[in-house]
Amino acid sequence: METIQCDVAVIGAGTAGLSAYRAARNAGKRAVLIEDGPHGTTCARVGCMPSKLLIAAAEAAQAVREAPGFGVQPGGLQVDSKAVMQRVRSERDRFVGFVLENVAAMPAADKLHGHARFTAPNRLQIGANLEVAARAVVIATGSTPDIPSEWAAAGPRVISSDAVFEWTDLPRSVAVIGAGVIGLELGQALHRLGVRVAIIARGGSVAQLKDPHILAAATQALGEELDIRFRTEVAGIERHGEGLELRTRNAAGEERVEQFDYVLAATGRTPRVSGLGLDRTGLALEKNGVPKFDRHTLQCGDSCIFIAGDASADIPLLPEAADQGKIAGANAATYPEVQPGLRRSPLAITFSEPQIATVGLGYQELMNGREPFAIGEVSFADQGRSRVMRQNKGMLRVYAAYGSGRFLGAEMAGPRAEHIGHLLAWAHQARMTVEQMLEMPFYHPVVEEGLRTALRDLAKALQKPPPPPKPVQDCTPGC
Ligand SMILES: Cc1cc2nc3c(=O)[nH]c(=O)nc-3n(C[C@H](O)[C@H](O)[C@H](O)COP(=O)(O)OP(=O)(O)OC[C@H]3O[C@@H](n4cnc5c(N)ncnc54)[C@H](O)[C@@H]3O)c2cc1C
């Protein structure tokens, strides 16, 4: 058995792992990066980038469909589904290529291939013949898509999002189970590219939304375009010829049986920590098997183990994976000295239409807190620029603290939410007040004028007396 000695061992060469490896090297330490699959990262291979490439093709098709609304007659729409998937795959390969170039430039001795598992807190076994003894370890093992085993039993046509980006042609029909970010983005894109799509959602929510008013605006806009069925359960999936038979049951107990080419399970992702031998580390684990960790230092307990990216199940988004990797790698390099790193204001975007963005503290978090907060809002139905673009759907709600007037967060479903979300996240991180935000420039005619209307509404709400704080739950006997 060969043993490699190093300062920092990073498990997983995704976005978080690469970032951790770089941070440890920049601190002048000997680091190794262990990967058991193909290099290239989830983001580039099967995540952010190929999904946005598919959405870009869908937007092009939708622009043609909507052109007559402007008096422009483009003629019949034809989607060349093979060409669509060819572009998705070739551009995806280009993005993956950039990552592969970076990996190729690393010293060969730093790259280890194989499945890593702990044999002790600072010792890893890789395959049968290799062992790594490190001063500190970063777990950056990502996540895997969930497919319930009873669905998977129906065969290979029950897929996760990973499989979509391997298609060379579009299928005729897909049932998407789950109206979270991935289900909604892929479901709408496939629908717009001419695939018959039904989106089946167990609950009543879409993407990351929690504010009931924004949710209502989003579900109305999405429902006008998509076959999206809320409060509907999957009652069974069986093989049917080449495809699948899907049985669903709605809240009224009515069953529906339909055939689809594929069932796309978009029901969530699980942190990939189960095969890591964490029982050998002595770490305290959460119910989902993820070690307990400090979200500012990324350190697991007071051990020499750090965790970053989707594996931490904290905020499974790419910018978070990069930030967490940097913090974890830097702290692993200086262990046992650790420092809190920069955690930015929360920002999440869903690339549906209408786009969805959430910023700062979410509505649910604010409602769960004791402090009352003020709300301002704007509907995009009559917002000037949105109407000009025929994208006048959706709503924005902004939240602020009484007293200080500090901007706390926002939820939005509407036009250009990816950009408005950024403005709001910057204001949140700069700890701006609503008054300061209203002092900023607003051009004309722009969608941001809708944001100004919401902020003015919020400023007015802040002038009213706050509602009384919620009573503290009294848990004395007899309660
Ligand atoms: C369809 C889809 C769309 C998305 N869209 C967006 C988006 O628009 N914006 C956004 O911000 N985020 C998006 N995300 C999320 C984003 O892709 C992830 O948050 C991010 O890629 C996670 O990076 P990571 O480094 O944690 O994991 P990964 O990139 O998955 O890296 C983990 C690596 O660890 C390796 N590994 C695991 N276990 C071991 C082991 N025991 N030994 C050795 N190696 C191991 C794996 O093989 C893998 O290469 C999307 C995700 C999906 C699936």
Side-chain angles (χ1 to χ4, degrees):
M1 168 96 61
E2 185 193 351
T3 302
I4 293 175
Q5 309 275 347
C6 65
D7 297 308
V8 177
V10 180
I11 315 174
T15 303
L18 286 165
S19 172
Y21 166 82
R22 271 193 299 269
R25 290 265 304 180
N26 289 345
K29 301 293 173 178
R30 162 92 216 274
V32 296
L33 186 61
I34 309 155
E35 173 57 56
D36 71 353
H39 280 283
T41 77
T42 289
C43 169
R45 285 190 308 105
V46 288
C48 330
M49 300 316 286
S51 60
K52 267 73 256 173
L53 285 161
L54 192 73
I55 290 167
E59 284 171 348
Q62 193 64 9
V64 173
R65 267 187 213 105
E66 287 176 5
F70 296 92
V72 175
Q73 305 297 338
L77 168 67
Q78 271 197 319
V79 175
D80 179 345
S81 48
K82 286 194 171 124
V84 166
M85 290 316 296
Q86 170 61 32
R87 177 172 190 267
V88 168
R89 288 152 53 97
S90 67
E91 285 294 308
R92 181 270 316 265
D93 292 347
R94 203 172 143 268
F95 290 120
V96 170
F98 296 137
V99 182
L100 298 183
E101 274 171 27
N102 282 335
V103 172
M106 290 175 186
D110 291 4
K111 293 175 278 190
L112 306 180
H113 190 78
H115 182 82
R117 62 191 327 276
F118 287 93
T119 52
N122 62 349
R123 277 191 115 76
L124 298 167
Q125 173 93 39
I126 296 137
N129 302 319
L130 188 60
E131 194 183 46
V132 173
R135 287 187 57 250
V137 178
V138 178
I139 301 171
T141 47
S143 59
T144 46
D146 301 333
I147 303 186
S149 53
E150 65 275 22
W151 300 358
R157 291 275 178 137
V158 179
I159 56 168
S160 74
S161 55
D162 290 6
V164 170
F165 309 116
E166 288 311 316
W167 287 341
T168 50
D169 197 356
L170 290 169
R172 281 166 304 142
S173 57
V174 179
V176 178
I177 317 296
V181 176
I182 294 175
L184 183 59
E185 284 188 354
L186 295 183
Q188 187 177 46
L190 292 172
H191 162 78
R192 290 181 162 192
L193 289 166
V195 178
R196 176 171 65 85
V197 171
I199 302 180
I200 314 292
R202 203 166 46 173
S205 111
V206 288
Q208 71 274 32
L209 288 176
K210 294 286 184 296
D211 185 316
H213 295 261
I214 305 298
L215 190 54
T219 51
Q220 180 176 341
L222 291 165
E224 285 168 12
E225 181 191 346
L226 299 171
D227 177 4
I228 179 162
R229 307 176 200 163
F230 293 105
R231 292 175 194 83
T232 302
E233 299 267 359
V234 172
I237 306 175
E238 279 171 28
R239 277 174 207 252
H240 182 89
E242 291 278 285
L244 297 164
E245 185 165 86
L246 172 71
R247 222 156 23 90
T248 53
R249 194 177 303 115
N250 68 14
E254 293 156 353
E255 279 209 354
R256 195 160 162 175
V257 180
E258 293 152 282
Q259 278 85 49
F260 290 94
D261 288 344
Y262 288 92
V263 168
L264 167 55
T267 45
R269 295 179 66 91
T270 301
R272 208 180 142 190
V273 290
S274 63
L276 277 175
L278 289 171
D279 51 318
R280 301 294 192 90
T281 61
L283 294 177
L285 305 183
E286 301 284 359
K287 273 201 203 110
N288 57 3
V290 173
K292 291 183 194 251
F293 67 96
D294 180 312
R295 71 183 301 276
H296 297 283
T297 61
L298 281 317
Q299 186 179 18
C300 301
D302 58 3
S303 76
C304 62
I305 301 171
F306 297 78
I307 190 161
D310 282 15
S312 75
D314 183 16
I315 305 177
L317 294 173
L318 177 103
E320 292 289 335
D323 282 352
Q324 292 178 25
K326 188 172 173 189
I327 299 168
N331 279 333
T334 55
Y335 173 79
E337 292 298 315
V338 295
Q339 297 278 344
L342 171 67
R343 298 300 306 260
R344 296 168 220 253
S345 281
L347 168 64
I349 295 165
T350 301
F351 294 84
S352 51
E353 194 183 333
Q355 287 191 336
I356 291 170
T358 50
V359 173
L361 287 176
Y363 177 84
Q364 198 57 54
E365 274 168 287
L366 289 166
M367 288 300 284
N368 290 345
R370 280 205 62 230
E371 289 305 315
F373 60 100
I375 302 176
E377 64 181 40
V378 65
S379 157
F380 288 95
D382 283 321
Q383 202 275 322
R385 182 70 194 282
S386 310
R387 218 181 148 80
V388 165
M389 300 184 300
R390 289 175 52 87
Q391 290 179 17
N392 51 323
K393 287 182 182 169
M395 189 178 215
L396 162 67
R397 299 233 294 170
V398 281
Y399 321 122
Y402 284 104
S404 67
R406 196 156 80 77
F407 171 62
L408 296 175
E411 295 200 13
M412 171 175 179
R416 309 287 197 263
E418 65 177 289
H419 303 301
I420 293 194
H422 275 84
L423 286 185
L424 288 170
W426 289 23
H428 184 267
Q429 190 161 314
R431 304 175 68 82
M432 287 172 82
T433 63
V434 175
E435 203 179 318
Q436 288 168 331
M437 291 164 80
L438 279 167
E439 282 166 7
M440 292 293 129
F442 289 87
Y443 197 63
H444 173 77
V446 289
V447 176
E448 286 74 4
E449 288 172 296
L451 164 60
R452 183 175 57 191
T453 306
L455 290 173
R456 283 178 176 159
D457 192 41
L458 182 56
K460 234 189 273 169
L462 284 169
Q463 276 159 19
K464 295 186 190 146
K470 282 187 253 164
V472 182
Q473 285 297 323
D474 185 351
C475 289
T476 52
C479 165

